[in-house]
Amino acid sequence: HAQPTNNMADALLIATVRGLEVLTIHGSLTVGAYDISGLTLTGENPVNTYLTVDASAATTNAHFKDLFLINSVFDGSVYADHCYLSNVSNIEGFVENSIVAGAIALSGGTMFFIDCKSGAIGLGSASTPVLDFAGLTDTKVVFRNWDGPVEIINSTHSGNSVVLNVGSAAHIKLGTTNTAGSVAIHGICSKDNTSAMIIEEATRLDQASIAASMLAAAQTTPIHSDAKKMNGATILGNGTSGDKWRG
């Protein structure tokens, strides 16, 4: 059975003695210089449970669930699901079914965002997720079924890559701090690109391309109107008040 405690040191001691792998957090908590590697830290939900992980903590293969994960620094691959992530650093691993906002500083390796949404409230929002490559090399970011705005900064190595598979709609901003690397965009996504990154967008759609494809289809197979008939009958009259159209 779970044993309640009001401090992290005792919680880890109890977990070690009893062989527990899941710590349930109530309220807010800052994890200091403790080793939570391989453990699952779960909250009630991202509204009620705030968690901050200090840079002094060991976090390799830690699992975070149902948390508002804010102002945190990691030291290895982590897994987060059903969380709200905001302003986190040195992150790689998997984030699933979560909202992502603010500064997200990568640590290298590969970062997956699966079925996640942007925390931005409109374009240019302060809560827009900004993924920072921070001059890293051979770093990969993969978005699967992503929705909403996202910004990429500081990609300076040709081995860096971003793959953005959009769910319903997205917007990607690529500024001038990105001098190398590649971005592949699939789905309905607008873009603001002043970078030097290689953009692969053969399967990207936006308002202009959708309108153009609809126009091309209409011109290829037009739907003609018959101005000489009304409900299948020949139109009589000339449309004036004394001779109204009728069929």
Side-chain angles (χ1 to χ4, degrees), residues 23-238:
L23 302 180
T24 301
I25 302 166
H26 298 278
S28 299
L29 176 69
T30 296
V31 177
Y34 296 104
D35 187 353
I36 57 172
S37 300
L39 295 177
T40 295
L41 276 65
T42 182
E44 298 173 81
N45 56 61
V47 175
N48 293 331
T49 310
Y50 280 61
L51 180 70
T52 296
V53 179
D54 188 77
S56 59
T59 62
T60 301
N61 296 326
H63 176 195
F64 303 96
K65 181 178 177 63
D66 293 324
L67 297 163
F68 195 118
L69 199 53
I70 187 169
N71 299 334
S72 295
V73 182
F74 306 106
D75 75 337
S77 183
V78 297
Y79 173 48
D81 70 289
H82 292 88
C83 289
Y84 188 110
L85 271 73
S86 179
N87 301 327
V88 299
S89 301
N90 206 41
I91 188 170
E92 67 173 292
F94 288 82
V95 176
E96 268 191 280
N97 295 299
S98 296
I99 295 176
V100 184
I104 309 294
L106 304 170
S107 70
T110 303
M111 184 72 231
F112 288 90
F113 294 95
I114 311 297
D115 296 323
C116 291
K117 300 183 184 299
S118 170
I121 306 171
L123 294 180
S125 166
S127 56
T128 297
V130 179
L131 272 67
D132 188 353
F133 277 79
L136 296 166
T137 62
D138 298 314
T139 299
K140 320 294 183 187
V141 178
V142 180
F143 297 92
R144 300 294 189 202
N145 199 31
W146 172 269
D147 286 326
V150 62
E151 182 176 357
I152 307 297
I153 62 173
N154 297 324
S155 176
T156 58
H157 188 265
S158 60
N160 294 338
S161 66
V162 176
V163 177
L164 177 58
N165 290 91
V166 179
S168 58
H171 176 83
I172 186 168
K173 182 176 180 180
L174 303 162
T176 56
T177 62
N178 300 295
T179 59
S182 64
V183 179
I185 308 172
H186 309 281
I188 300 175
C189 182
S190 57
K191 77 177 191 297
D192 176 3
N193 179 32
T194 56
S195 77
M197 300 181 80
I198 298 170
I199 311 297
E200 302 169 19
E201 53 182 342
T203 56
R204 181 180 75 88
L205 298 172
D206 60 12
Q207 289 178 329
S209 61
I210 292 171
S213 64
M214 292 177 66
L215 178 60
Q219 290 173 334
T220 302
T221 311
I223 302 173
H224 297 287
S225 62
D226 188 346
K228 295 181 180 180
K229 290 187 177 182
M230 181 183 294
N231 297 327
T234 300
I235 294 178
L236 303 175
N238 59 18

